[in-house]
Amino acid sequence: MCASCDDTFASPGPKSELEEGMALTPRFGADGLITAIATDAATGDLLMVAHMNAEALKKTIETGEAWYWSRSRAALWHKGDTSGQIQTIVEMRIDCDQDAVWMKVKVGGDGGSCHTGRRTCFYRAIPTGRPVEGLTLEPRDAGKLRPAFG
Amino acid sequence: MCASCDDTFASPGPKSELEEGMALTPRFGADGLITAIATDAATGDLLMVAHMNAEALKKTIETGEAWYWSRSRAALWHKGDTSGQIQTIVEMRIDCDQDAVWMKVKVGGDGGSCHTGRRTCFYRAIPTGRPVEGLTLEPRDAGKLRPAFG
């Protein structure tokens, strides 16, 4: 499959149209992907950062549920298909240069989004305002809802 | 500069340590970058998605203000240095496989984060639950605080 030569979406125009226009012309990278970010529609918490190719983006828009491109499995991935953790989109947006999408989602099943079994992939804080040498991460929202996948 | 051979941070260990350990061992990509996401600490709104090399990550941690690597300018970028839109970090987190960071920030100056002059880079919604053919983006938070940069 050649995601970058997919003709589902029109090609990006000049910068002014890309940034100020109302046409969806996603800028897929050399790998055929854009960045996809899911936040919890109720709390605003960042749940996960993943990627979409043209097919995943189209399916997400049309179904109102998050589909991704799994880089590790090199496969289209309907989030929650086996786990029940379906991400239903409350609102979807695209950024200025159209290479990233933001989805505010409501998560099904046990409410988790991370393959480690947690609600969010961002379960460790980086302390700031101090030298990086000897720095130790700190747990946040680190409780597991279920065992890890894979 | 060779971001990927920077020795500021220890190299990532096996998956179990990367995901469950408390050592910060960021996984910079082949381009020497990780994804950096800034949300508004007060509202949870996604403000921007950018990138950090090892130096930007180190400066962000040590100063408590967001530094990025500008891919378009190929330069280290202290956000707000000229615009006043300093992003002060309220909390910083890293994700499961340590290739993305999330910063909850408070924005200085006029409160904007997007080079187009807006508060957020995500100022257009993608309507979902309909075919992508003929789709039109819809403005959201699209008012400009200032003229566009660059």
Side-chain angles (χ1 to χ4, degrees):
Chain A
M1 150 150 200
C2 170
S4 55
C5 60
D6 189 292
D7 62 357
T8 304
F9 301 98
S11 299
K15 190 178 172 190
S16 56
E17 281 176 26
L18 191 68
E19 293 181 353
E20 300 297 333
M22 290 297 149
L24 176 61
T25 57
R27 287 198 315 124
F28 297 102
D31 54 4
L33 303 174
I34 58 170
T35 302
I37 292 156
T39 63
D40 184 305
T43 66
D45 284 348
L46 185 54
L47 299 177
M48 56 183 282
V49 177
H51 299 84
M52 289 181 184
N53 63 359
E55 191 180 0
L57 178 59
K58 177 182 162 80
K59 283 185 175 288
T60 299
I61 293 169
E62 298 193 340
T63 64
E65 296 177 352
W67 289 69
Y68 299 100
W69 176 257
S70 167
R71 294 187 299 179
S72 58
R73 294 194 302 272
L76 197 67
W77 166 34
H78 181 206
K79 174 77 179 167
D81 223 6
T82 54
S83 67
Q85 297 171 342
I86 297 281
Q87 295 179 337
T88 302
I89 295 174
V90 174
E91 188 180 41
M92 186 172 190
R93 296 194 192 184
I94 194 153
D95 75 341
C96 46
D97 59 357
Q98 302 207 24
D99 65 355
V101 292
W102 169 27
M103 295 168 292
K104 302 181 195 178
V105 302
K106 200 173 149 186
V107 182
D110 62 11
S113 284
C114 184
H115 78 284
T116 65
R118 298 177 174 91
R119 197 177 63 80
T120 166
C121 293
F122 292 81
Y123 50 84
R124 288 170 297 186
I126 303 174
T128 56
R130 48 145 295 162
V132 294
E133 290 77 16
L135 177 157
T136 303
L137 301 175
E138 299 168 359
R140 294 278 189 287
D141 297 331
K144 292 195 179 195
L145 304 166
R146 63 195 300 162
F149 295 118
Chain B
M1 151 149 202
C2 169
S4 55
C5 59
D6 189 293
D7 62 358
T8 304
F9 300 98
S11 299
K15 191 178 173 191
S16 56
E17 282 177 25
L18 191 69
E19 294 182 354
E20 300 297 333
M22 288 298 150
L24 176 60
T25 57
R27 286 198 315 124
F28 297 101
D31 54 4
L33 304 174
I34 57 171
T35 302
I37 292 155
T39 63
D40 185 306
T43 65
D45 283 349
L46 186 53
L47 299 177
M48 56 183 280
V49 177
H51 300 84
M52 291 181 184
N53 63 0
E55 191 181 359
L57 178 59
K58 176 182 161 81
K59 282 185 176 287
T60 299
I61 293 170
E62 297 194 339
T63 65
E65 295 176 355
W67 289 68
Y68 299 100
W69 177 257
S70 166
R71 294 186 298 180
S72 57
R73 293 195 301 273
L76 196 66
W77 166 34
H78 181 206
K79 175 76 179 169
D81 224 6
T82 55
S83 67
Q85 298 172 342
I86 298 282
Q87 295 179 337
T88 302
I89 295 174
V90 175
E91 187 179 43
M92 186 171 190
R93 297 193 190 184
I94 195 153
D95 75 340
C96 47
D97 58 358
Q98 301 206 23
D99 65 355
V101 292
W102 168 28
M103 295 168 293
K104 302 182 195 178
V105 302
K106 199 173 148 185
V107 181
D110 63 10
S113 285
C114 185
H115 79 283
T116 65
R118 297 177 173 93
R119 198 176 63 80
T120 168
C121 293
F122 292 81
Y123 49 85
R124 290 170 296 188
I126 304 174
T128 56
R130 47 145 295 163
V132 295
E133 289 78 15
L135 176 156
T136 303
L137 300 175
E138 298 169 358
R140 295 277 190 286
D141 296 330
K144 292 196 180 194
L145 304 167
R146 63 195 301 161
F149 296 116

